Short mmCIF file of all heavy atoms in Angstrom, two decimals:
data_model
loop_
_atom_site.label_atom_id
_atom_site.label_comp_id
_atom_site.label_asym_id
_atom_site.label_seq_id
_atom_site.Cartn_x
_atom_site.Cartn_y
_atom_site.Cartn_z
N GLU Y 156 90.28 118.54 111.56
CA GLU Y 156 90.30 119.96 111.18
C GLU Y 156 91.72 120.34 110.81
O GLU Y 156 92.66 120.06 111.54
CB GLU Y 156 89.82 120.83 112.34
CG GLU Y 156 88.38 120.58 112.75
CD GLU Y 156 87.95 121.48 113.88
OE1 GLU Y 156 88.76 122.37 114.26
OE2 GLU Y 156 86.83 121.30 114.38
N ARG Y 157 91.87 120.98 109.66
CA ARG Y 157 93.21 121.31 109.18
C ARG Y 157 93.28 122.79 108.85
O ARG Y 157 92.52 123.30 108.04
CB ARG Y 157 93.54 120.49 107.93
CG ARG Y 157 94.91 120.78 107.33
CD ARG Y 157 95.21 119.79 106.22
NE ARG Y 157 94.28 119.88 105.13
CZ ARG Y 157 94.44 120.68 104.07
NH1 ARG Y 157 95.49 121.47 103.98
NH2 ARG Y 157 93.54 120.71 103.12
N SER Y 158 94.22 123.49 109.51
CA SER Y 158 94.46 124.90 109.20
C SER Y 158 95.69 125.05 108.31
O SER Y 158 95.81 126.02 107.58
CB SER Y 158 94.63 125.71 110.48
OG SER Y 158 95.69 125.19 111.27
N SER Y 159 96.60 124.10 108.38
CA SER Y 159 97.76 124.07 107.49
C SER Y 159 98.32 122.66 107.49
O SER Y 159 97.87 121.80 108.26
CB SER Y 159 98.83 125.07 107.94
OG SER Y 159 99.29 124.76 109.25
N GLY Y 160 99.28 122.41 106.63
CA GLY Y 160 99.80 121.06 106.49
C GLY Y 160 99.01 120.29 105.45
O GLY Y 160 97.94 120.70 105.00
N GLU Y 161 99.51 119.12 105.08
CA GLU Y 161 98.89 118.31 104.04
C GLU Y 161 98.40 116.98 104.61
O GLU Y 161 98.94 116.47 105.60
CB GLU Y 161 99.89 118.03 102.91
CG GLU Y 161 100.34 119.27 102.16
CD GLU Y 161 101.25 118.93 101.00
OE1 GLU Y 161 101.54 117.73 100.81
OE2 GLU Y 161 101.69 119.85 100.30
N ILE Y 162 97.37 116.44 103.96
CA ILE Y 162 96.86 115.12 104.29
C ILE Y 162 96.90 114.28 103.03
O ILE Y 162 96.27 114.62 102.03
CB ILE Y 162 95.42 115.18 104.84
CG1 ILE Y 162 95.36 116.04 106.10
CG2 ILE Y 162 94.89 113.77 105.12
CD1 ILE Y 162 93.95 116.21 106.64
N ARG Y 163 97.65 113.19 103.07
CA ARG Y 163 97.79 112.32 101.89
C ARG Y 163 97.39 110.90 102.29
O ARG Y 163 98.10 110.26 103.10
CB ARG Y 163 99.22 112.35 101.35
CG ARG Y 163 99.66 113.73 100.85
CD ARG Y 163 101.06 113.68 100.28
NE ARG Y 163 102.05 113.46 101.32
CZ ARG Y 163 102.67 114.42 102.00
NH1 ARG Y 163 102.39 115.69 101.72
NH2 ARG Y 163 103.56 114.13 102.92
N ILE Y 164 96.30 110.42 101.75
CA ILE Y 164 95.80 109.08 102.03
C ILE Y 164 95.94 108.25 100.76
O ILE Y 164 95.27 108.52 99.75
CB ILE Y 164 94.33 109.08 102.49
CG1 ILE Y 164 94.14 110.07 103.65
CG2 ILE Y 164 93.89 107.68 102.88
CD1 ILE Y 164 94.88 109.70 104.90
N ARG Y 165 96.82 107.27 100.78
CA ARG Y 165 97.03 106.41 99.61
C ARG Y 165 96.41 105.05 99.87
O ARG Y 165 96.94 104.27 100.67
CB ARG Y 165 98.53 106.26 99.33
CG ARG Y 165 99.21 107.52 98.83
CD ARG Y 165 100.69 107.28 98.65
NE ARG Y 165 100.95 106.07 97.86
CZ ARG Y 165 102.15 105.50 97.77
NH1 ARG Y 165 103.17 106.00 98.44
NH2 ARG Y 165 102.31 104.41 97.04
N PRO Y 166 95.30 104.73 99.20
CA PRO Y 166 94.70 103.41 99.41
C PRO Y 166 95.55 102.31 98.81
O PRO Y 166 96.33 102.54 97.88
CB PRO Y 166 93.35 103.53 98.68
CG PRO Y 166 93.60 104.56 97.62
CD PRO Y 166 94.57 105.54 98.21
N GLY Y 167 95.42 101.12 99.34
CA GLY Y 167 96.13 99.97 98.79
C GLY Y 167 95.53 99.57 97.45
O GLY Y 167 94.42 99.97 97.08
N THR Y 168 96.25 98.76 96.70
CA THR Y 168 95.81 98.33 95.38
C THR Y 168 95.08 97.00 95.42
O THR Y 168 94.53 96.56 94.42
CB THR Y 168 97.01 98.22 94.43
OG1 THR Y 168 97.95 97.29 94.97
CG2 THR Y 168 97.68 99.57 94.25
N GLU Y 169 95.05 96.33 96.57
CA GLU Y 169 94.43 95.02 96.65
C GLU Y 169 92.92 95.14 96.64
O GLU Y 169 92.34 96.01 97.30
CB GLU Y 169 94.87 94.28 97.93
CG GLU Y 169 96.35 93.96 97.99
CD GLU Y 169 97.20 95.15 98.40
OE1 GLU Y 169 96.61 96.22 98.69
OE2 GLU Y 169 98.43 95.01 98.42
N GLU Y 170 92.26 94.31 95.87
CA GLU Y 170 90.81 94.30 95.79
C GLU Y 170 90.25 93.07 96.49
O GLU Y 170 90.93 92.08 96.69
CB GLU Y 170 90.37 94.32 94.32
CG GLU Y 170 90.81 95.57 93.56
CD GLU Y 170 90.34 95.55 92.12
OE1 GLU Y 170 89.73 94.54 91.72
OE2 GLU Y 170 90.59 96.54 91.40
N ASP Y 171 88.97 93.16 96.85
CA ASP Y 171 88.27 92.04 97.47
C ASP Y 171 88.96 91.56 98.76
O ASP Y 171 88.98 90.37 99.06
CB ASP Y 171 88.14 90.87 96.49
CG ASP Y 171 87.36 91.26 95.24
OD1 ASP Y 171 86.45 92.09 95.37
OD2 ASP Y 171 87.68 90.73 94.17
N VAL Y 172 89.54 92.51 99.51
CA VAL Y 172 90.15 92.18 100.80
C VAL Y 172 89.17 92.56 101.90
O VAL Y 172 88.71 93.70 101.95
CB VAL Y 172 91.48 92.93 100.99
CG1 VAL Y 172 92.05 92.65 102.37
CG2 VAL Y 172 92.47 92.53 99.92
N PRO Y 173 88.79 91.62 102.77
CA PRO Y 173 87.83 91.96 103.83
C PRO Y 173 88.40 93.01 104.77
O PRO Y 173 89.60 93.06 105.00
CB PRO Y 173 87.61 90.62 104.55
CG PRO Y 173 88.82 89.80 104.23
CD PRO Y 173 89.24 90.22 102.85
N PRO Y 174 87.54 93.88 105.33
CA PRO Y 174 88.03 94.92 106.25
C PRO Y 174 88.61 94.33 107.52
O PRO Y 174 88.07 93.37 108.09
CB PRO Y 174 86.77 95.76 106.53
CG PRO Y 174 85.63 94.84 106.25
CD PRO Y 174 86.08 93.95 105.14
N VAL Y 175 89.72 94.89 107.95
CA VAL Y 175 90.40 94.44 109.17
C VAL Y 175 90.34 95.51 110.25
O VAL Y 175 90.04 95.23 111.41
CB VAL Y 175 91.88 94.10 108.87
CG1 VAL Y 175 92.62 93.75 110.16
CG2 VAL Y 175 91.98 92.96 107.88
N LEU Y 176 90.59 96.77 109.86
CA LEU Y 176 90.62 97.86 110.84
C LEU Y 176 90.29 99.16 110.11
O LEU Y 176 90.80 99.44 109.04
CB LEU Y 176 92.00 97.96 111.48
CG LEU Y 176 92.19 99.06 112.53
CD1 LEU Y 176 91.43 98.71 113.80
CD2 LEU Y 176 93.67 99.27 112.85
N ARG Y 177 89.43 99.96 110.74
CA ARG Y 177 89.13 101.30 110.24
C ARG Y 177 89.73 102.31 111.22
O ARG Y 177 89.37 102.33 112.39
CB ARG Y 177 87.63 101.52 110.12
CG ARG Y 177 87.28 102.90 109.55
CD ARG Y 177 85.79 103.14 109.54
NE ARG Y 177 85.47 104.45 109.01
CZ ARG Y 177 84.26 105.01 109.11
NH1 ARG Y 177 83.28 104.34 109.71
NH2 ARG Y 177 84.04 106.20 108.61
N VAL Y 178 90.63 103.13 110.73
CA VAL Y 178 91.30 104.15 111.54
C VAL Y 178 90.58 105.48 111.29
O VAL Y 178 90.54 105.97 110.16
CB VAL Y 178 92.79 104.27 111.17
CG1 VAL Y 178 93.45 105.34 112.04
CG2 VAL Y 178 93.49 102.93 111.34
N ARG Y 179 90.01 106.05 112.34
CA ARG Y 179 89.28 107.32 112.23
C ARG Y 179 90.12 108.43 112.85
O ARG Y 179 90.46 108.35 114.04
CB ARG Y 179 87.92 107.21 112.92
CG ARG Y 179 86.97 106.23 112.24
CD ARG Y 179 85.68 106.08 113.03
NE ARG Y 179 85.92 105.38 114.29
CZ ARG Y 179 85.78 104.08 114.43
NH1 ARG Y 179 85.41 103.33 113.41
NH2 ARG Y 179 86.00 103.50 115.61
N LEU Y 180 90.44 109.46 112.07
CA LEU Y 180 91.25 110.57 112.54
C LEU Y 180 90.36 111.74 112.93
O LEU Y 180 89.49 112.16 112.17
CB LEU Y 180 92.22 111.02 111.44
CG LEU Y 180 93.25 109.98 110.97
CD1 LEU Y 180 94.08 110.56 109.83
CD2 LEU Y 180 94.15 109.52 112.10
#
Side-chain angles (χ1 to χ4, degrees):
E156 297 181 6
R157 179 172 63 90
S158 57
S159 61
E161 296 183 359
I162 300 176
R163 297 182 291 269
I164 309 295
R165 291 177 50 193
T168 58
E169 296 79 3
E170 298 180 357
D171 300 327
V172 176
V175 175
L176 180 71
R177 182 185 179 192
V178 180
R179 294 175 291 266
L180 298 177

